[in-house]
Amino acid sequence: MDNKSGMTIIVKTITRITVPTIILYGCYIIFHGHLTPGGGFAGGVIIALALLNVMIAFGRKFTNNWLNINFLEKLESISATLFLILGILGFLISSAFLFNFINHGELFRLLSAGTIPVLNIIIGIEVAMSLFLVVWVLAGLKLDKGEEL
Amino acid sequence: MILPLFIIIPLLSAFLIAIVSGKKDNFANGLSIISALLLLFGAIYNFITQNQEVIIYKIGNWDAPIGINLVQDSLTIFMLIIVGLISLTSLIYSRQYIRYISTDWKYYSLFMFLITGMNGVIITGDLFNLYVFMEIALLSTYALVAYGGKAEEFEASFKYAIMGIVSSTFILVGIAITYSATSTLTLAKIAEQIPHINTKIVYLVGGIFLMGFGLKAAIIPFHTWLPDAHSSAPAPISAMLSGVMIKVLGIYAIIRIFYNIFGAPEFFLNIFMILGVISILIAGFLAITQWDMKRLLAYSSISQIGYILLGLGIGSTLGILGAVFHIFNHAIFKSLLFYNAGSVEMTTETRDLKKMGNLKKLMPVTSKTSMIASLAISGIPPFNGFFSKLIIIIAAIQSGHPILAALAVIGSIQTLAALLKVQRFGFHSENKTEVTENKTSFGMKFAMITLAFLCFAGAILIIPGIREVTLDPIVEVIKNNGEYMNMVLGR
């Protein structure tokens, strides 16, 4: 790792410890979206912030090596497409667009509420990727104006 | 075609374009043209099969106050057909025109989001859902206006974004007040509650919505963003913005809110009439003074929106008929004029009328179609624009506003003067240009000729037998404003 880019060693060490925890917490918020407060959007924002945390602490170049940005761009579009496909399945399988066609299960169980957890996961990916990429692109524009990375 | 498909098709193609396209735009262009064709045919199919009844679609099979409703009536189908028609010709036109700027798939993806937003605004039956779709359409246009990447395009886009956000904030505040007063966001349910709430709240909310949607429709005095944004955008986008967007986000939303929900209060109708006439006169005058071809056309759009607003404000059957017909006509000839401006700009690389010359021989198709569009927009018979303006003027006289009618006639003469300026300096002047090559391709010519044909053919909509199945049901929806609520709530 290049020690010169990014912030000091203290920030980097703390980030290395906290980022997995933040991502885990984001996943928790997403997976329990149908049971507790939160859901796809809130969890997605948390995951995006964890990724941005890495970008701020370690710098753009490290993050570019660590993450496959092109893949994330595709993932963003793919998750939105999956949401639409799930909606279309609603009226192909049953009666209406976005109809909840999976068995609703038992209340307060993790695997319940039909399509809602699936939609929450898709929304989580979509929000995480798009929020991260928006900031990524904006930060890139600022760098392009001055000298290269 | 079932209603959510009008949102699903453009949205799915926007994402598919982003996933599948590589560096080239062939796939993106093909897919977007196919989906625009599907949308147009779907809208026409719904028009043939609808039988003048209201169709409600419940998303997720949830009933009205809990879930979101999609509503289809005659006005909805009419607007869907306009969006489908103009977006299809615009995409055909874009194929070569956008390659002149860049060969990128992003344009088509953004274009599909724009269609998604507008179709969503048209078919939704929920006030907050309308706001969300409006933002989708606006966000994609902010990017599309700046697509050329020049400094003044960024400036125009920034100005547009600021004004758009201000007006969206007004609309959001209006929605919040409506929700607190009526405890519902479904349009039909709000309409049911309106007679029971304090009239002062209706006036407050109406004023806020008039500011918000008036900014979207670019009614004077809320017009300042339009000349910059519409003249800086690439030509097919200018056609979409001027031809469709200001009508869908502005006029259509005003019709739904002030007529179908508030029940057309007299106070607001008078404001519409006055603002309409002010828009006609001031924008008509400003249009004559412009030397930038697209800027002139943009000012003329404000003036034509004034006619639509005047017709709506008169509020009689004839006035609304004229307004509805003018929505259709203006979409066609204004898009055509922007296509002409785009091909002139592409060939001569200038928008300044003083620098253009004798383009009549070099660009015969562009020159002839622009002559047709200029005559149609100025209200010369037998083109479609003549009939809609005539109906609005007759309606003004019949409802006892001869002064407004006279001012509308003056506005029509102003439009004629402005557009003749384009003809005189742009196509028929003795000034020799150094340009020798006509860069207009087949696709661009096809789009222009199609719309020029519709400038003639549009006039048949007013023939009594045809009018009874096309325009009269729409007038009925706007005129019998309580009917919307009863039909949607199933009474």
Side-chain angles (χ1 to χ4, degrees):
Chain A
M1 198 200 329
D2 184 11
N3 278 330
K4 283 173 192 163
S5 69
M7 291 187 167
T8 60
I9 188 95
I10 302 171
V11 180
K12 282 180 181 170
T13 312
I14 300 283
T15 308
R16 207 175 294 132
I17 299 166
T18 52
V19 161
T21 332
I22 300 174
I23 292 181
L24 188 68
Y25 181 64
C27 292
Y28 163 77
I29 296 278
I30 292 175
F31 285 119
H32 286 72
H34 54 297
L35 303 174
T36 55
F41 191 92
V45 172
I46 293 168
I47 292 178
L49 291 180
L51 298 179
L52 289 175
N53 214 339
V54 176
M55 190 183 99
I56 293 165
F58 290 90
R60 227 177 123 79
K61 200 172 178 183
F62 175 83
T63 323
N64 204 0
N65 295 334
W66 183 53
L67 295 167
N68 186 347
I69 299 293
N70 278 333
F71 174 71
L72 296 190
E73 281 174 7
K74 295 280 178 206
L75 195 63
E76 197 238 321
S77 303
I78 288 169
S79 58
T81 315
L82 281 177
F83 187 99
L84 272 175
I85 288 171
L86 213 60
I88 294 168
L89 280 179
F91 70 69
L92 288 185
I93 292 174
S94 186
S95 53
F97 183 70
L98 269 183
F99 188 76
N100 197 339
F101 55 87
I102 303 176
N103 185 7
H104 293 195
E106 205 179 315
L107 200 61
F108 299 122
R109 299 294 288 272
L110 187 60
L111 291 176
S112 64
T115 54
I116 294 175
V118 187
L119 291 175
N120 262 334
I121 293 168
I122 293 171
I123 296 169
I125 298 171
E126 165 72 31
V127 172
M129 293 310 120
S130 42
L131 269 182
F132 170 68
L133 287 171
V134 163
V135 181
W136 176 265
V137 168
L138 287 178
L141 285 178
K142 197 180 170 193
L143 283 173
D144 285 348
K145 215 175 176 184
E147 66 230 65
E148 291 222 339
L149 292 167
Chain B
M1 196 157 82
I2 61 165
L3 276 179
L5 281 181
F6 286 105
I7 300 172
I8 294 169
I9 291 174
L11 200 56
L12 197 61
S13 44
F15 289 124
L16 277 181
I17 287 169
I19 296 171
V20 180
S21 296
K23 293 246 185 295
K24 288 288 165 82
D25 63 349
N26 289 320
F27 172 79
N29 183 272
L31 184 67
S32 51
I33 288 179
I34 289 169
S35 48
L37 255 177
L38 276 176
L39 290 174
L40 179 60
F41 283 130
I44 292 172
Y45 174 77
N46 279 12
F47 169 71
I48 294 166
T49 54
Q50 65 143 351
N51 248 340
Q52 297 179 18
E53 59 194 11
V54 176
I55 294 172
I56 320 276
Y57 191 92
K58 297 169 191 163
I59 288 187
N61 225 352
W62 293 98
D63 278 330
I66 302 165
I68 291 169
N69 273 345
L70 305 179
V71 181
Q72 173 194 299
D73 57 16
S74 305
L75 179 61
T76 315
I77 298 175
F78 174 70
M79 297 305 287
L80 284 176
I81 289 177
I82 295 177
V83 173
L85 183 69
I86 303 300
S87 55
L88 179 64
T89 53
S90 188
L91 282 166
I92 292 171
Y93 186 92
S94 299
R95 188 173 174 82
Q96 204 214 351
Y97 185 86
I98 288 300
R99 280 185 189 160
Y100 160 73
I101 298 174
S102 81
T103 53
D104 206 341
W105 52 266
K106 290 194 184 75
Y107 171 83
Y108 296 100
S109 201
L110 286 167
F111 200 108
M112 285 289 123
F113 280 119
L114 174 60
I115 298 177
T116 310
M118 289 195 297
N119 276 356
V121 167
I122 293 167
I123 65 176
T124 189
D126 183 280
L127 193 54
F128 191 73
N129 205 229
L130 187 147
Y131 175 80
V132 171
F133 278 118
M134 193 175 72
E135 284 298 297
I136 293 177
L138 283 170
L139 284 174
S140 48
T141 40
Y142 299 151
L144 283 170
V145 165
Y147 195 77
K150 294 190 194 109
E152 71 262 20
E153 283 159 9
F154 282 116
E155 191 197 330
S157 169
F158 187 70
K159 196 170 172 184
Y160 181 25
I162 297 289
M163 298 302 271
I165 289 164
V166 169
S167 66
S168 296
T169 313
F170 276 125
I171 294 167
L172 195 59
V173 170
I175 292 173
I177 298 172
T178 315
Y179 187 50
S180 75
T182 60
S183 313
T184 178
L185 286 171
T186 310
L187 292 179
K189 290 263 175 193
I190 297 171
E192 193 185 35
Q193 293 288 324
I194 284 291
H196 308 299
I197 64 173
N198 193 338
T199 35
K200 280 178 189 161
I201 295 176
V202 177
Y203 285 126
L204 173 67
V205 174
I208 291 170
F209 278 144
L210 185 62
M211 269 191 277
F213 290 115
L215 249 159
K216 307 281 193 234
I219 304 160
I220 285 180
F222 309 115
H223 68 286
T224 46
W225 59 272
L226 186 140
D228 283 341
H230 288 204
S231 59
S232 303
I237 296 305
S238 306
M240 283 297 281
L241 291 175
S242 255
V244 197
M245 180 116 160
I246 49 176
K247 301 196 191 71
V248 172
L249 301 192
I251 299 293
Y252 174 82
I254 284 177
I255 290 175
R256 277 284 182 246
I257 287 172
F258 286 93
Y259 288 78
N260 291 143
I261 297 183
F262 291 169
E266 194 67 23
F267 177 70
F268 286 113
L269 294 192
N270 290 334
I271 292 181
F272 289 164
M273 259 193 297
I274 294 162
L275 287 184
V277 171
I278 291 174
S279 300
I280 292 172
L281 290 177
I282 297 181
F285 180 68
L286 288 171
I288 300 175
T289 59
Q290 300 301 319
W291 281 101
D292 181 330
M293 187 167 172
K294 281 172 89 176
R295 223 178 151 76
L296 188 150
L297 296 178
Y299 273 111
S300 139
S301 278
I302 305 173
S303 143
Q304 303 303 311
I305 282 291
Y307 279 99
I308 297 170
L309 209 64
L310 174 64
L312 286 175
I314 291 166
S316 62
T317 312
L318 207 57
I320 294 173
L321 174 71
V324 168
F325 193 31
H326 204 63
I327 291 177
F328 178 76
N329 294 341
H330 182 244
I332 286 170
F333 45 61
K334 188 47 66 70
S335 305
L336 175 52
L337 282 167
F338 271 115
Y339 294 159
N340 295 325
S343 35
V344 168
E345 190 187 357
M346 201 167 148
T347 302
T348 62
E349 293 182 354
T350 179
R351 296 203 308 246
D352 192 344
L353 287 170
K354 285 176 189 162
K355 288 181 189 153
M356 289 174 197
N358 191 3
L359 296 173
K360 193 175 61 173
K361 286 206 184 91
L362 186 64
M363 314 174 78
V365 174
T366 312
S367 157
K368 289 202 175 85
T369 49
S370 102
M371 181 59 103
I372 291 172
S374 302
L375 294 179
I377 196 173
S378 325
I380 307 289
F383 298 99
N384 53 6
F386 167 71
F387 295 101
S388 49
K389 283 190 179 179
L390 183 71
I391 291 169
I392 291 172
I393 290 163
I394 291 175
I397 296 170
Q398 272 191 357
S399 64
H401 298 96
I403 298 170
L404 296 186
L407 293 175
V409 173
I410 293 172
S412 192
I413 296 168
Q414 284 176 325
T415 312
L416 182 65
L419 270 295
L420 280 183
K421 181 175 172 183
V422 174
Q423 293 302 319
R424 163 75 178 78
F425 288 95
F427 294 97
H428 296 267
S429 88
E430 282 101 48
N431 195 1
K432 286 268 188 310
T433 45
E434 291 158 12
V435 191
T436 50
E437 187 198 1
N438 183 4
K439 290 179 187 159
T440 320
S441 72
F442 173 75
M444 293 163 78
K445 281 178 192 160
F446 175 78
M448 288 191 279
I449 292 171
T450 311
L451 290 187
F453 171 72
L454 283 173
C455 281
F456 282 111
I460 64 165
L461 285 182
I462 209 68
I463 295 170
I466 299 170
R467 195 186 68 210
E468 276 150 25
V469 285
T470 52
L471 295 175
D472 281 351
I474 305 160
V475 175
E476 199 71 5
V477 168
I478 304 174
K479 184 83 176 127
N480 292 347
N481 34 50
E483 203 60 16
Y484 174 80
M485 169 186 89
N486 293 337
M487 293 290 235
V488 173
L489 296 176
R491 291 192 188 135

